[in-house]
């Protein structure tokens, strides 16, 4: 049935939507894809440390009933990765912390159930910083994940393992999650697409805090079209989910196929002075958007006022840490790194007035963005304002010579989307002279996932993407 050309490295390099079409046509089997993925993982893992827990036997034992495919986003037996913050039944799930290093859940997260029901085959868990806190992926259980474009550098976080698994061709699709750019930052650093959807689109919020709209699940892929495929597989109403919405009438994949160059983009390299951006990143993004304009798009430099964004986001974020990770048993919390403990303490120190002020400011910020995006398809800005640093550096202390105040100060471009509940993504826009990928962040209107994906596809085409996969570039420094 299967020709030799459809096995090994060649099949790993293909885009996910192509492989799903081959699965549906009977040109390749899920078992053969597992073989190919396992071979690629064995080849690159010693260098990058991305897919840290494998569950090959479980994957091979999955029963794929094609007759039960319930949606156009069905994955047809495609192997996928799940971030190690999300339980998968019978598979070691550590959250990257020593207190849970041997934990094996009996029940999967609801999103895992959905993906498996739609043909996804979970092949492994991808690395994350401890409890997902931080934008450099390392922990005391598995160690650090390295950037495949330069292994001396960090891969971003907290979905760093997911991004690297895609960039190196270990997996075709990999799940991520996002609070402070946790799937957007590693996507930008690793040259893949990371999509933070609106709350309720891709599964429930954190366990025990299901109504929280700030922390969401989302798809990661090598291309915009593949990202739309994965989002289709995640989307849909479930009455058991506290925040849940029906899928769109037109699948996201179909919307992407209708994308054209006629896009209207507002661009702000600093979000109106809110966040610093290095000269290198700004120059690269301006050059990329010039290509979009040359292809027929409209790019204008504009940004709404964003009052109290920093204070508001930090308050909402601190609440999540205090109500979630900060409620873990002492046997778990005693292992936490200093920055994680600091996050929890900030949440516990909040006053009622802090919380009320944040809720009011959040509403005002949403109104401002909704009005602003009435005139544009998206607001474009950096994902992060600097290039990746050394893998040993937990977080940068300076940006273009200017000091940064704390461990999330360099992530300020990520604050707007979770604060307002607006969808956002990171799309690769080429390589620097040093051979490193750069991502452009796009923030869309309320429930504007389809148009956001279309604009991302127009940018991807104008910038010659997608980029990968690649063999890791091994560097000492």
């Amino acid at each position: 049935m299967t020709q030799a050309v459809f096995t090994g490295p060649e099949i790993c390099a293909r885009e996910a939507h192509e492989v799903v079409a081959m699965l549906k046509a009977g040109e390749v089997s899920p078992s053969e894809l597992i073989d190919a993925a396992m071979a690629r993982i064995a080849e690159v893992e010693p260098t990058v440390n991305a897919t840290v827990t494998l569950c090959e036997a479980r994957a091979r034992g999955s029963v794929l009933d094609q007759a039960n495919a319930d949606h156009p986003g069905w994955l047809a037996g495609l192997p996928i990765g799940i971030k190690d913050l999300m339980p998968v039944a019978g598979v070691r799930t550590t959250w990257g912390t020593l207190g849970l290093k041997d934990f094996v859940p009996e029940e999967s997260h609801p999103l895992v159930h959905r993906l498996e029901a739609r043909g996804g085959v979970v092949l492994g868990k991808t690395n994350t910083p401890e409890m997902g806190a931080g934008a450099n992926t390392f922990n005391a259980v598995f160690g650090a994940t390295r950037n495949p474009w330069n292994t001396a550098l960090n891969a971003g976080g907290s979905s760093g393992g997911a991004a690297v698994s895609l960039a190196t061709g270990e997996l075709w699709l990999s799940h991520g999650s996002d609070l402070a750019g946790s799937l957007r930052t590693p996507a930008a650093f690793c040259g893949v697409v990371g999509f933070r959807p609106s709350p309720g689109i891709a599964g429930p919020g954190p366990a025990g805090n299901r109504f929280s709209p700030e922390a969401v699940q989302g798809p990661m892929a090598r291309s915009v079209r593949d990202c739309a495929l994965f989002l289709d597989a995640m989307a849909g109403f479930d009455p058991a989910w506290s925040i849940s919405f029906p899928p769109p009438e037109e699948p996201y994949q179909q919307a992407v196929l209708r994308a054209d160059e006629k896009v209207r983009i507002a661009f702000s390299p600093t979000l109106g002075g809110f966040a610093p951006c290095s000269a290198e990143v700004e120059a690269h993004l301006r050059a990329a958007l010039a290509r979009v304009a040359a292809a027929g798009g409209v790019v204008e430099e504009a940004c709404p006022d964003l009052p109290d964004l920093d204070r508001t986001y930090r308050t909402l974020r601190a609440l999540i840490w205090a109500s979630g990770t900060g409620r873990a048993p002492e046997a778990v919390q005693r292992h936490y790194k200093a920055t994680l403990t600091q996050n929890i303490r900030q949440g516990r120190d909040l006053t009622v007035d802090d919380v009320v002020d944040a809720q009011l400011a959040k509403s005002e910020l949403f109104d401002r963005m909704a009005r602003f995006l009435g005139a544009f398809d998206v607001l474009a800005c950096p994902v992060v304002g600097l290039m990746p640093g050394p893998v040993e550096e937990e977080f940068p202390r300076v940006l273009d010579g200017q000091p940064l105040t704390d461990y999330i100060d360099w992530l300020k471009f990520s604050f707007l989307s979770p604060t307002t509940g607006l969808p956002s993504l990171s799309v690769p826009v080429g390589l620097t002279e040093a051979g490193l990928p750069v991502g452009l962040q796009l923030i869309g209107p309320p429930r504007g996932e389809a148009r956001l994906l279309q604009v991302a596809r127009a940018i991807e085409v104008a910038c010659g993407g997608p980029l990968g996969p690649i063999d890791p570039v091994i560097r000492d420094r």
Side-chain angles (χ1 to χ4, degrees):
M1 175 184 68
T2 304
Q3 302 175 23
V5 72
F6 292 150
T7 61
E10 194 278 340
I11 194 69
C12 291
R14 291 202 174 204
E15 292 187 45
H17 70 271
E18 297 176 316
V19 178
V20 166
M22 293 165 63
L23 282 163
K24 291 180 177 180
E27 296 172 342
V28 70
S29 71
S31 179
E32 289 167 323
L33 294 181
I34 291 172
D35 289 342
M38 290 297 298
R40 182 61 176 168
I41 289 168
E43 181 181 10
V44 301
E45 267 305 292
T47 302
V48 295
N49 193 39
T51 307
V52 289
T53 298
L54 294 171
C55 47
E56 180 184 1
R58 183 183 186 277
R60 293 191 185 280
S62 297
V63 177
L64 302 173
D65 186 357
Q66 296 191 15
N68 286 338
D70 63 350
H71 200 275
W74 185 56
L75 299 176
L78 186 75
I80 62 174
I82 299 294
K83 187 176 178 179
D84 199 29
L85 301 182
M86 178 171 281
V88 175
V91 180
R92 183 186 183 196
T93 301
T94 74
W95 284 269
T97 190
L98 289 173
L100 295 167
K101 65 183 178 65
D102 298 317
F103 178 69
V104 178
E106 296 181 359
E107 180 64 28
S108 292
H109 187 279
L111 185 59
V112 174
H113 284 302
R114 168 163 287 177
L115 291 171
E116 290 183 327
R118 292 179 174 176
V121 176
V122 177
L123 186 57
K125 307 295 294 296
T126 60
N127 206 19
T128 177
E130 186 175 30
M131 292 295 187
N136 184 358
T137 296
F138 71 93
N139 59 63
V141 181
F142 297 113
T145 296
R146 294 178 177 269
N147 192 311
W149 296 87
N150 179 341
T151 58
L153 304 178
N154 79 72
S158 61
S159 305
V164 175
S165 74
L166 295 166
T168 58
E170 291 185 349
L171 296 165
W172 293 268
L173 298 173
S174 210
H175 151 264
S177 59
D178 191 287
L179 175 59
S182 286
L183 52 72
R184 291 166 285 165
T185 299
F189 281 2
C190 296
V192 301
V193 181
F195 195 116
R196 179 195 161 89
S198 304
I201 294 291
N209 192 11
R210 294 298 193 203
F211 289 91
S212 169
E214 288 84 27
V216 304
Q217 314 300 323
M220 301 182 73
R222 294 182 210 138
S223 70
V224 174
R225 186 171 175 182
D226 283 357
C227 198
L229 163 69
F230 206 13
L231 186 59
D232 275 327
M234 293 180 174
F237 175 73
D238 187 327
W241 296 0
S242 52
I243 302 176
S244 182
F245 289 84
E249 292 185 7
E250 178 186 48
Y252 297 116
Q253 299 165 78
Q254 294 301 314
V256 169
L257 293 177
R258 294 191 295 103
D260 62 33
E261 68 281 0
K262 295 179 176 62
V263 296
R264 189 170 180 83
I265 298 171
F267 173 60
S268 179
T270 63
L271 281 182
F274 173 71
C277 181
S278 70
E280 179 183 18
V281 171
E282 180 176 345
H284 191 94
L285 296 184
R286 287 189 182 277
L289 287 170
R291 291 193 289 272
V292 175
V298 174
V299 179
E300 298 181 19
E301 195 150 334
C303 184
D305 291 333
L306 302 170
D308 293 325
L309 174 56
D310 187 77
R311 177 183 59 83
T312 300
Y313 172 76
R314 289 173 183 270
T315 298
L316 297 171
R317 183 178 189 273
L319 276 173
I320 289 175
W321 289 117
S323 64
T325 304
R327 294 298 184 96
E330 173 57 28
V332 174
Q333 291 199 47
R334 65 186 177 87
H335 295 286
Y336 287 171
K337 61 186 178 182
T339 46
L340 182 52
T341 301
Q342 177 189 7
N343 291 157
I344 296 167
R345 187 181 306 114
Q346 288 170 343
R348 290 174 175 160
D349 289 344
L350 292 172
T351 67
V352 171
D353 285 340
D354 291 331
V355 177
V356 170
D357 288 346
Q359 294 297 330
L360 294 174
K362 175 178 179 174
S363 181
E364 172 64 19
L365 287 163
F366 173 86
D367 290 344
R368 287 172 181 260
M369 282 296 295
R371 287 193 298 268
F372 178 79
L373 289 169
F376 299 96
D377 292 321
V378 299
L379 171 60
C381 64
V383 179
V384 285
L386 73 173
M387 301 302 293
V391 70
E392 300 86 1
E393 180 184 70
E394 183 175 359
F395 58 93
R397 270 69 174 183
V398 296
L399 197 164
D400 272 11
Q402 298 300 312
L404 299 172
T405 58
D406 62 21
Y407 107 112
I408 64 169
D409 204 33
W410 69 291
L411 305 173
K412 291 178 74 170
F413 287 105
S414 72
F415 293 5
L416 182 56
S417 177
T419 300
T420 58
L422 298 177
S424 58
L425 62 75
S426 173
V427 59
V429 289
L431 303 176
T432 66
E433 291 184 2
L436 295 175
V438 179
L440 176 68
Q441 181 173 196
L442 308 177
I443 302 173
R447 303 287 162 190
E449 277 77 7
R451 185 55 180 159
L452 186 56
L453 285 162
Q454 289 176 331
V455 176
R457 175 57 180 159
I459 293 170
E460 181 179 63
V461 171
C463 294
L467 293 178
I470 63 165
D471 292 325
V473 179
I474 300 174
R475 300 270 173 81
D476 291 330
R477 271 300 173 112

